[in-house]
Amino acid sequence: DAIDDAEDARFGKDKRGDELPPELARRESRLVKLAEARAALEADAAVRARKEAEKKARDKGDDDDIAAQKGDDAAKNAVVRPKAQRNFTDPDSRIMKTADGSFHYAYNAQAIVDADHQIIVATTLTNIGVDVEQVVPLVEKLHATTGVLPGQVLADAGYCSASNLDYAKTVEAGSDGRTEFFIATGRMKHGERVPEVPRGR
């Protein structure tokens, strides 16, 4: 009608005339984003504190109920780290150190490759920067996808940890020796010679 036409002519089509100016609208949206980022950082800190407290409690021999209670207490008192950051455009990504020594928001992609046929048989994508936590998820995913365990699993020193070595022993024992793990326990310097194997006497 005539009133709508007049308002459209004065304020613009589908405008009411009481909208916030662009500079204020942008400021409010930024504040909302900052509040969301702060809440996400606090949630991350709570999850991290809970996991650390529960692990520490179980390592001390506490039962599940006590460990859970300590986890709850730690989560309630969690504090965001001073240098914690949040990516507005991709909040699931994390700052990771890349091969050139610089730091970027990124993901950690992992793969298991069939050595004989050079075919990727399992993959994972995570926002955890260290590789050491990916051995179990990768092997379990391979098993779930193919229905079998590999005859041999070869991994470099970046995947070596006490828990991964224990997992390897468990899988090897459960497979009656059909699966073997070869995880390097250390790194060699560039140009370093491999020590000769001692000969029997």
Side-chain angles (χ1 to χ4, degrees):
D1 56 21
I3 295 177
D4 289 337
D5 292 340
E7 289 179 345
D8 288 345
R10 181 179 179 184
F11 304 121
K13 188 172 179 59
D14 298 326
K15 300 291 185 180
R16 302 187 308 272
D18 59 350
E19 290 84 359
L20 289 172
E23 62 273 13
L24 291 181
R26 287 196 297 271
R27 180 176 181 275
E28 287 193 348
S29 64
R30 285 198 300 270
L31 291 175
V32 169
K33 286 291 186 182
L34 287 171
E36 291 175 351
R38 178 70 186 182
L41 289 173
E42 291 173 347
D44 289 344
V47 170
R48 186 183 304 108
R50 182 189 301 277
K51 287 183 177 179
E52 291 176 355
E54 289 181 351
K55 182 179 184 303
K56 187 178 295 184
R58 291 193 174 94
D59 289 345
K60 289 174 57 179
D62 293 338
D63 61 30
D64 289 343
D65 290 338
I66 294 177
Q69 182 59 54
K70 289 183 177 180
D72 290 341
D73 294 340
K76 292 176 183 177
N77 298 314
V79 177
V80 177
R81 295 174 180 175
K83 293 186 178 181
Q85 299 184 30
R86 191 73 174 175
N87 187 338
F88 287 99
T89 56
D90 189 358
D92 290 330
S93 64
R94 295 292 182 270
I95 291 181
M96 299 184 189
K97 188 176 183 179
T98 57
D100 62 359
S102 60
F103 292 85
H104 302 278
Y105 278 102
Y107 292 89
N108 186 356
Q110 299 284 322
I112 292 182
V113 179
D114 183 308
D116 293 332
H117 303 91
Q118 294 298 295
I119 296 174
I120 296 175
V121 291
T123 61
T124 60
L125 184 67
T126 177
N127 58 12
I128 299 174
V130 294
D131 296 335
V132 71
E133 297 184 23
Q134 303 310 311
V135 170
V136 176
L138 274 169
V139 174
E140 295 296 328
K141 188 169 185 180
L142 170 63
H143 189 203
T145 302
T146 64
V148 296
L149 287 168
Q152 295 180 336
V153 178
L154 178 64
D156 65 32
Y159 298 90
C160 185
S161 70
S163 60
N164 284 342
L165 295 176
D166 288 340
Y167 172 75
K169 290 179 181 178
T170 301
V171 173
E172 288 176 346
S175 68
D176 293 328
R178 291 189 297 272
T179 296
E180 293 181 288
F181 282 76
F182 298 90
I183 303 177
T185 57
R187 301 178 185 274
M188 296 183 63
K189 296 180 180 179
H190 182 70
E192 183 179 354
R193 294 177 61 86
V194 178
E196 294 185 6
V197 178
R199 297 181 180 275
R201 296 182 180 180

